Amino acid sequence: MKDLRALCLAGILLIIAGGPAWASDDPTAEEIDRINALLAEMQCEMDDDDIEKEGDGFELDDVLCVDGQYDIELDANFAVIEKRAE
């Protein structure tokens, strides 16, 4: 019985510890605003739902620009590190 309690407690702790990591996968409202301001300067726009946190930066899918559609990767400082035409 004691082993079962320890196992359950360990499982609960793993779930709790993993929770913040899942929550941090979504960009914050401030990050979305910064990305949208950057895109406006680039004459681009996109659906906020297509912004994903990726490692230390962001992946932007289906970005519509005046010269075409792109997938764009940003670093943690919101600098473009890759822009791929779709």
Side-chain angles (χ1 to χ4, degrees), residues 31-41 44 46 48 51:
E31 291 168 333
I32 291 172
D33 289 345
R34 287 189 66 182
I35 290 168
N36 282 324
L38 171 68
L39 293 176
E41 290 175 13
C44 301
M46 66 176 298
D48 293 347
I51 300 172

Side-chain angles (χ1 to χ4, degrees), residues 50 59-64 69-73 80 82-86:
D50 290 330
E59 184 171 321
L60 314 179
D61 294 324
D62 303 326
V63 180
L64 299 174
Q69 184 170 331
Y70 298 90
D71 284 344
I72 299 175
E73 290 185 35
V80 176
E82 186 173 1
K83 183 178 178 182
R84 297 178 306 277
E86 283 196 331

